[in-house]
Amino acid sequence: MMRNTGIRDKPLSDINILVVDDREDNLISIETILEKDNYTITKANSGRAALRILLNQNDFSLILMDVQMPGLSGYETASLIYQRDKLKDIPIIFITAHNQEEKYIFKGYKTGGVDYINKPVHPELLRVKVGIFVELYRKNNQLRINEKKLLVANQSLTKEIEERKISERKIRLLNEQLLKNNDHLKAVNEELDRFAYVASHDLQEPLRKILV
């Protein structure tokens, strides 16, 4: 069982693992070992078969890859896998009975592999290593999800700020227009007052002449 990390992870049954080996008995053996942890196992009997599967499905948490295979080797298959952006974050553990020299191990890491498991496979070692990298994958996946949420939140906040700025500019322009209107209204009122005074004076002048 995976320890509680406080992150809402996918159930183990939703953890997909791709196992690639040209020998059916090895595929069945690894599947039998890992089925105890309730992972979903997909099997491929060659590098090309693995690539075909990955063209249609890219939600694998881990790939277990045999190194020595006819056609495409594990290293060659891994190189092709990591050429696709959607697949480059899937960790690959190489499984091999040969080429345990440092130069071959270095080649595996250089190709993008994260670890090695030697044949014959030790069941508990396999389960522990798979569990570790599945946990790391889940945490990284959660981080990517959180990052996307933050980006969306930032975009929404930026939009809200821009909308507020636009609203503030509109309010400022309306206030400026209102002040101009008030000034114009004041000027009109003053002009009316002057007109009323002049008119009143002009109307009173004939009356004064009559009274005189």
Side-chain angles (χ1 to χ4, degrees), residues 167-184:
S167 296
E168 288 172 359
R169 283 197 293 269
K170 286 182 177 179
I171 291 172
R172 188 169 62 252
L173 289 172
L174 287 172
N175 285 334
E176 290 174 357
Q177 187 64 44
L178 182 60
L179 289 173
K180 288 180 181 179
N181 290 344
N182 286 338
D183 291 340
H184 179 67

Side-chain angles (χ1 to χ4, degrees), residues 1-5 9-12 15-17 19 30 33-41 61-64 91-93 95 114-117 121-140:
M1 295 294 293
M2 308 303 294
R3 62 185 176 85
N4 186 2
T5 61
D9 295 321
K10 296 191 295 184
L12 290 179
I15 297 297
N16 300 313
I17 297 176
V19 184
I30 292 174
I33 294 169
L34 295 180
E35 69 182 3
K36 297 176 183 179
D37 296 308
N38 203 29
Y39 301 125
T40 299
I41 305 298
S61 303
L62 181 66
I63 298 174
L64 300 175
I92 296 176
I93 296 178
I95 300 178
V114 294
D115 204 353
Y116 266 90
I117 294 178
V121 174
H122 188 287
E124 286 307 310
L125 178 62
L126 175 65
R127 291 181 65 198
V128 168
K129 286 197 173 188
V130 167
I132 289 171
F133 284 106
V134 164
E135 179 77 353
L136 287 172
Y137 177 85
R138 290 164 67 172
K139 287 182 177 179
N140 288 335

Side-chain angles (χ1 to χ4, degrees), residues 26-174:
N26 288 335
L27 291 172
I28 293 173
S29 175
I30 292 174
E31 181 180 34
T32 302
I33 294 169
L34 295 180
E35 69 182 3
K36 297 176 183 179
D37 296 308
N38 203 29
Y39 301 125
T40 299
I41 305 298
T42 300
K43 296 177 290 184
N45 59 9
S46 69
R48 295 189 185 281
L51 293 173
R52 284 196 294 271
I53 291 171
L54 290 166
L55 282 174
N56 301 310
Q57 184 179 356
N58 53 47
D59 63 340
F60 289 102
S61 303
L62 181 66
I63 298 174
L64 300 175
M65 181 87 67
D66 184 28
V67 172
Q68 296 292 327
M69 293 186 293
L72 289 175
S73 71
Y75 298 142
E76 292 168 333
T77 304
S79 294
L80 291 171
I81 289 172
Y82 285 146
Q83 287 179 14
R84 296 189 64 196
D85 287 339
K86 290 183 178 180
L87 306 176
K88 64 183 181 181
D89 293 321
I90 304 176
I92 296 176
I93 296 178
F94 288 113
I95 300 178
T96 181
H98 308 288
N99 295 335
Q100 297 180 31
E101 298 177 21
E102 283 190 6
K103 64 177 181 179
Y104 293 109
I105 294 176
F106 178 74
K107 183 178 181 180
Y109 288 130
K110 189 175 180 180
T111 303
V114 294
D115 204 353
Y116 266 90
I117 294 178
N118 296 322
K119 294 180 181 180
V121 174
H122 188 287
E124 286 307 310
L125 178 62
L126 175 65
R127 291 181 65 198
V128 168
K129 286 197 173 188
V130 167
I132 289 171
F133 284 106
V134 164
E135 179 77 353
L136 287 172
Y137 177 85
R138 290 164 67 172
K139 287 182 177 179
N140 288 335
N141 190 55
Q142 189 63 46
L143 286 173
R144 286 192 292 271
I145 291 172
N146 291 341
E147 183 181 16
K148 288 180 180 178
K149 288 180 179 178
L150 283 173
L151 287 173
V152 171
N154 285 339
Q155 290 172 354
S156 177
L157 183 59
T158 301
K159 183 179 179 181
E160 184 178 344
I161 291 171
E162 287 299 321
E163 289 175 349
R164 286 187 180 183
K165 286 181 179 179
I166 292 171
S167 296
E168 288 172 359
R169 283 197 293 269
K170 286 182 177 179
I171 291 172
R172 188 169 62 252
L173 289 172
L174 287 172

